[in-house]
Amino acid sequence: LNMKKSILWLVSVLFLLLLTITSCEENDGLVNPYGNWKERNQHFIDSIADVAYANPDEWKIIHTYQFPEPTDPLASKFVKDYVYCKVLESGDGISPFYTDTVSANYRGQLIPLLEGTVVTFDQSYQGELNKDVAIPRTFGLGVNLIAGWNTALQHMREGDRWQVYIPSELGYGLVGSDNIPGYSTLCFDIHLVKVTSNR
């Protein structure tokens, strides 16, 4: 009987030790910074859409050419069909057509990771934007650009600076690209410097 009690006690101690080790491993501070990425990105773009609709004087809500124009009066619920743009500065130049070439300063970022880090995945300048020294990048619209970029740029004017929020469906979708995970909302600071017409 004492032998059985000893074995039972030993098994209990080993079980508690195993639980302690497992608990320590789970709480050792190593958190996946991309945890719940799809859900967090959906929540983020939904909240941006709510802010944009509530502040029409400061925001532009642009339906993408990639999806058919909505006929439903509740079309605002189709968040993925739109690009949300907060106007930071207004220019007075021309707007580009789909076949035109543009020069722009920009920075593209992901939504904040779980620990608060903001990942910059592409940019044309370092630090804060200084328009006097920044060298804009030039590219043709419609040429290897995501739908969200093409959508926003065709509604901007030379001199505009917008904070642009692109749902993943108008970005890199569920697959992602390089250092951009699938389901990522893309956050861009775009300053449209020049439009060169190719018409």
Side-chain angles (χ1 to χ4, degrees), residues 94-103 139-143 145 150 154 194-199:
I94 63 172
S95 295
F97 280 82
Y98 188 76
T99 56
D100 288 346
T101 298
V102 299
S103 297
F139 45 88
L141 289 182
V143 181
L145 296 181
N150 280 322
Q154 288 178 77
K194 184 178 180 182
V195 175
T196 303
S197 175
N198 295 324
R199 287 163 272 161

Side-chain angles (χ1 to χ4, degrees), residues 61-165:
I61 302 166
I62 305 170
H63 188 268
T64 181
Y65 61 86
Q66 185 167 339
F67 300 129
E69 283 288 341
T71 55
D72 189 330
L74 299 177
S76 63
K77 299 297 181 188
F78 304 126
V79 173
K80 69 177 179 60
D81 290 10
Y82 297 87
V83 175
Y84 304 90
C85 310
K86 183 174 184 180
V87 178
L88 304 178
E89 298 174 21
S90 296
D92 57 5
I94 63 172
S95 295
F97 280 82
Y98 188 76
T99 56
D100 288 346
T101 298
V102 299
S103 297
N105 297 308
Y106 66 89
R107 173 174 288 141
Q109 298 178 318
L110 302 178
I111 70 169
L113 304 185
L114 281 177
E115 78 279 7
T117 302
V118 176
V119 174
T120 298
F121 57 82
D122 194 13
Q123 59 189 355
S124 65
Y125 59 90
Q126 300 293 323
E128 294 300 314
L129 175 60
N130 182 338
K131 297 176 195 172
D132 295 329
V133 298
I135 301 173
R137 291 191 185 157
T138 300
F139 45 88
L141 289 182
V143 181
N144 299 320
L145 296 181
I146 58 173
W149 253 81
N150 280 322
T151 297
L153 282 167
Q154 288 178 77
H155 288 81
M156 296 180 75
R157 300 173 70 90
E158 288 176 335
D160 279 350
R161 184 179 179 187
W162 291 0
Q163 188 71 35
V164 177
Y165 299 91

